[in-house]
Amino acid sequence: MKFKIILLLVILISLSSCSSIITNIFGNKLIDMKYAPNLQKNFFYTELPYKIENGWITFTAKINNSEKYYNFIFDTGATTMISEKLISELKLENGITSVSKDINGYEISGFSFLTNLTIGELNIDNIRIRSTESDIFSEKCNRKIDGIIGANVLNQGYFYFNYVDKKLIITNELSKLSIDKLKNPIKLKRFMGQPYIKVKGNKKQWLLLDTGYSDGDIILNSNSKILCKSDIPIKSKETYLKGIKEEKKINYSIYNKKIIIGKIENLIQIIQFNKNNKNGNIIGNNIIQKSDVIIDTKHKKLYVNNLNLPKFNDSVSNISFKYKKNVVIVYSLAINSEIQKMGIKLGDTITKINNQSLLNLKSECEFEDFKNKNIRKNSELNIVFKRNNETVNKLFSLKTLYE
């Protein structure tokens, strides 16, 4: 009887494991059939400059045989997409209705088109590009983002980001890459077409390599095993999580923890969402911003050289502000902080900082300029808040702002 029970358990575990593997294989196949472009038949090599703009990795490309170059974010956490405003300009036709969800679960509707994409001298045929409407694609601070180049281009070959020279090399010839850059490979796998790497904290876990995430190193959901119950957050906050379509109020905690990526050990800042948020389990683009990185999905490897992640910061502010819908608001707030106990709430409108009015600001860029001129690091702040036609003046000391 015991033997039968053990045998049944072994079969069930095996079926569960096989089911996960089969789901992954067929998930990748399905994504490749729908979104992956044709592979290059000949050897190719191209290089082009890239920039770090507002934390995003950006470079230019052409679409649908256009003469004009368009500005793209490199985002392996997404598929390739463009602003809806470009459909007529690019003369895209025969679009298929496409519906998906953003990180906050909101539906994103648009069209998908079969076209071509040119990155440097690499011409990618039969790539499916989605269109969507998002304020990410609006012009801000003399900077315009036209689209996203996503994970469905990674099958073309090796993507080598040289962070010192800010140069991207794409090739399908291994001999074109320096041997010293191909040391200490990190395991990589594709799941539903996207790249994942194994990271070890308390336990090992596969994290999505999401190059579109620029606000930190690692984001985890409450089910992640990288953190353990004994890990103590340096701060818990409430804020808004921005998706392609909408923002959503969330709570999260911030940790500083040693994690291992391949053979590299680093002290990294980790954000973990609260129990009601199932999103997360991603590693952001700091790994590319601060290192030489080669993404090789064909051979399931990620090469990281000269990893130089920024030092973690114990001094996390208890409050932050953002220009949104023509006003400046409280955009994040530390839970149980002295500021919150004063009655300040997420979303409160701010009319003055250090006796300087914010009412005439007309864009995010003007607010950034305002902060650079009027807000000094490690200094107290005098802030005027407005809520329900009631105005409150508060003076925040350094202790109140950071402890």
Side-chain angles (χ1 to χ4, degrees):
M1 184 65 181
K2 286 184 178 180
F3 174 76
K4 288 183 178 179
I5 293 172
I6 293 170
L7 180 61
L8 179 60
L9 286 172
V10 170
I11 291 170
L12 288 172
I13 292 169
S14 299
L15 285 173
S16 175
S17 176
C18 288
S19 174
S20 175
I21 293 169
I22 290 169
T23 300
N24 189 25
I25 291 171
F26 280 96
N28 286 330
K29 290 288 184 184
L30 181 64
I31 294 295
D32 288 346
M33 286 172 60
K34 190 173 182 180
Y35 291 107
N38 294 342
L39 292 173
Q40 303 300 307
K41 294 180 180 179
N42 301 315
F43 288 123
F44 72 89
Y45 174 95
T46 188
E47 59 181 63
L48 63 151
Y50 69 88
K51 297 178 182 178
I52 305 297
E53 298 182 278
N54 198 33
W56 289 322
I57 300 165
T58 67
F59 50 82
T60 59
K62 294 180 179 181
I63 321 168
N64 204 34
N65 298 314
S66 64
E67 292 295 324
K68 180 179 175 181
Y69 284 94
Y70 294 91
N71 202 31
F72 284 87
I73 298 169
F74 179 67
D75 182 359
T76 54
T79 189
T80 300
M81 63 180 69
I82 58 169
S83 165
E84 279 193 347
K85 296 176 182 178
L86 294 183
I87 294 175
S88 58
E89 181 178 329
L90 291 167
K91 299 179 181 178
L92 294 170
E93 298 176 343
N94 303 317
I96 301 171
T97 302
S98 174
V99 179
S100 61
K101 291 185 178 181
D102 70 4
I103 191 170
N104 290 320
Y106 294 111
E107 282 196 353
I108 310 166
S109 59
F111 298 93
S112 69
F113 302 88
L114 202 59
T115 182
N116 62 41
L117 180 71
T118 304
I119 307 173
E121 297 177 11
L122 169 62
N123 188 55
I124 306 173
D125 291 320
N126 292 317
I127 183 169
R128 189 158 288 280
I129 294 178
R130 296 183 53 211
S131 68
T132 189
E133 185 178 354
S134 171
D135 70 344
I136 291 174
F137 301 140
S138 59
E139 187 168 354
K140 298 175 184 177
C141 307
N142 299 317
R143 180 190 69 246
K144 185 181 179 184
I145 299 297
D146 299 299
I148 290 170
I149 290 181
N152 56 326
V153 303
L154 294 177
N155 69 337
Q156 296 298 306
Y158 303 92
F159 281 69
Y160 168 35
F161 289 86
N162 181 328
Y163 90 102
V164 174
D165 299 328
K166 294 294 183 290
K167 181 171 64 177
L168 168 60
I169 294 172
I170 311 173
T171 181
N172 57 3
E173 288 188 82
L174 183 62
S175 61
K176 296 290 186 180
L177 300 175
S178 174
I179 294 298
D180 68 318
K181 300 298 182 186
L182 299 170
K183 296 177 181 178
N184 304 320
I186 297 166
K187 287 183 179 179
L188 180 147
K189 74 172 182 179
R190 292 173 70 236
F191 181 73
M192 299 302 290
Q194 296 175 320
Y196 283 71
I197 60 174
K198 189 169 283 188
V199 173
K200 183 181 179 183
N202 178 48
K203 292 184 178 180
K204 292 181 180 179
Q205 185 172 347
W206 289 98
L207 300 183
L208 168 63
L209 176 60
D210 186 350
T211 60
Y213 171 59
S214 59
D215 292 331
D217 296 316
I218 289 177
I219 292 183
L220 303 175
N221 64 31
S222 58
N223 297 323
S224 172
K225 303 300 181 184
I226 286 180
L227 294 171
C228 58
K229 291 182 180 179
S230 61
D231 289 321
I232 301 172
I234 60 172
K235 197 156 290 186
S236 294
K237 301 184 79 173
E238 55 180 356
T239 188
Y240 298 97
L241 179 64
K242 185 174 179 60
I244 292 289
K245 187 174 181 180
E246 299 283 350
E247 289 184 334
K248 187 176 182 180
K249 183 179 175 181
I250 62 162
N251 291 354
Y252 67 92
S253 296
I254 304 170
Y255 298 82
N256 290 324
K257 187 174 180 68
K258 283 187 178 180
I259 61 107
I260 299 173
I261 307 172
K263 296 180 179 179
I264 305 168
E265 185 175 348
N266 247 291
L267 192 60
I268 283 182
Q269 195 156 92
I270 293 174
I271 290 174
Q272 185 174 45
F273 291 141
N274 67 357
K275 294 180 181 179
N276 298 322
N277 197 313
K278 296 180 181 179
N279 296 304
N281 296 336
I282 65 175
I283 183 165
N285 69 22
N286 270 341
I287 199 171
I288 292 180
Q289 286 195 41
K290 303 296 181 181
S291 324
D292 281 349
V293 170
I294 299 172
I295 304 173
D296 176 13
T297 58
K298 181 179 179 180
H299 302 100
K300 300 179 182 179
K301 292 177 181 178
L302 179 81
Y303 302 92
V304 181
N305 295 275
N306 305 317
L307 184 62
N308 186 30
L309 289 176
K311 293 181 178 179
F312 68 91
N313 185 8
D314 273 325
S315 187
V316 177
S317 175
N318 289 324
I319 190 169
S320 71
F321 320 110
K322 186 175 181 179
Y323 183 89
K324 182 181 177 183
K325 296 181 180 179
N326 301 318
V327 294
V328 176
I329 65 166
V330 176
Y331 197 71
S332 72
L333 192 64
I335 297 170
N336 296 324
S337 64
E338 189 65 31
I339 294 178
Q340 191 182 55
K341 291 174 182 177
M342 288 179 179
I344 306 304
K345 295 183 179 180
L346 199 68
D348 279 352
T349 299
I350 302 166
T351 59
K352 287 184 179 181
I353 295 180
N354 292 341
N355 298 317
Q356 300 296 315
S357 176
L358 302 173
L359 298 179
N360 294 323
L361 299 180
K362 297 178 181 178
S363 69
E364 289 181 34
C365 307
E366 288 187 12
F367 181 51
E368 290 302 314
D369 290 340
F370 175 92
K371 287 194 294 184
N372 292 334
K373 292 176 183 177
N374 297 286
I375 301 178
R376 297 188 305 273
K377 290 182 179 180
N378 299 320
S379 63
E380 62 183 19
L381 290 179
N382 190 319
I383 302 177
V384 177
F385 298 87
K386 186 177 181 181
R387 187 196 312 143
N388 299 328
N389 296 319
E390 181 183 353
T391 299
V392 179
N393 193 327
K394 297 287 185 181
L395 179 64
F396 298 139
S397 65
L398 279 176
K399 183 178 180 180
T400 303
L401 287 169
Y402 290 99
E403 291 184 10

